[in-house]
Amino acid sequence: NAGVTQTPKFRVLKTGQSMTLLCAQDMNHEYMYWYRQDPGMGLRLIHYSVGEGTTAKGEVPDGYNVSRLKKQNFLLGLESAAPSQTSVYFCASAFGGGFYEQYFGPGTRLTVT
Amino acid sequence: DAKTTQPPSMDCAEGRAANLPCNHSTISGNEYVYWYRQIHSQGPQYIIHGLKNNETNEMASLIITEDRKSSTLILPHATLRDTAVYYCIVRGNTDKLIFGTGTRLQVFP
């Protein structure tokens, strides 16, 4: 099993450009999450999904959109990138909510100039 | 979910036990204590969790005080590869993990 994979690993955007980050998991997990991590800080939840076709807002959802069209994939979109969105983005998945542990991907390092 | 307090950094000699403390004085009865770690900007990795009894797995032990207001993660024989940021998270029956800033553990030779 590959676990949780993220594409791309690195990206540089100019302000105002758009892009989509892809998260894929092969563990048949129902729940998927997108986090961002800024330097010296813990992870903050952007959006999450409790199953195919569902999405919900986390702590810092503004400026991002998500879609979960297939159970194994969770997409994070930036419609108009801003320098404040420069961060490392982590995807995670879990068998369920509540007390199930989350499995994290390797991260995507995004720089917006 | 209850908030946690951890020291920002700790050192440990290789081969010795690393004891990482966490305070969670506002924890409620149905909330678990979780530990994750993050090695050099990789994705966080689950270590262990517990409710009120002490727990042990192949990675670590978790000691929770009787009043549940604090806990200690123990890495019994720390190695250089255990150098990481360790996050203590208190979590109820919710869909979310709330990360703080964690403890940066440096294991030295």
Side-chain angles (χ1 to χ4, degrees), chain A residues 5-11 88 106-110:
Chain A
T5 58
Q6 293 184 231
T7 309
K9 289 186 170 50
F10 302 94
R11 186 71 185 268
V88 181
T108 294
R109 188 173 297 274
L110 175 67

Side-chain angles (χ1 to χ4, degrees), chain B residues 12-105:
Chain B
C12 178
E14 190 175 21
R16 304 296 294 270
N19 297 287
L20 290 89
C22 180
N23 287 321
H24 31 79
S25 58
T26 60
I27 193 170
S28 58
N30 65 344
E31 290 180 320
Y32 282 69
V33 180
Y34 280 75
W35 285 83
Y36 281 73
R37 73 179 182 183
Q38 188 175 24
I39 297 173
H40 190 52
S41 299
Q42 297 175 19
Q45 174 191 26
Y46 165 82
I47 301 172
I48 197 167
H49 74 280
L51 182 63
K52 55 183 177 181
N53 298 319
N54 298 339
E55 301 287 344
T56 296
N57 63 20
E58 65 278 5
M59 291 182 68
S61 295
L62 174 60
I63 309 298
I64 302 174
T65 58
E66 194 168 341
D67 64 7
R68 302 206 329 118
K69 293 185 177 182
S70 65
S71 60
T72 302
L73 179 74
I74 301 172
L75 308 178
H77 305 286
T79 71
L80 298 179
R81 287 175 294 181
D82 292 321
T83 292
V85 177
Y86 288 78
Y87 297 99
C88 170
I89 301 167
V90 170
R91 184 184 188 191
N93 191 15
T94 75
D95 297 330
K96 305 172 188 176
L97 282 177
I98 307 295
F99 285 82
T101 53
T103 295
R104 183 173 298 276
L105 175 68

Side-chain angles (χ1 to χ4, degrees), chain A residues 48-71:
Chain A
Y48 65 104
S49 167
V50 302
E52 182 178 317
T54 74
T55 62
K57 294 181 180 180
E59 295 176 78
V60 288
D62 294 340
Y64 305 95
N65 57 73
V66 287
S67 64
R68 183 97 181 271
L69 298 180
K70 293 183 178 181
K71 185 177 183 178

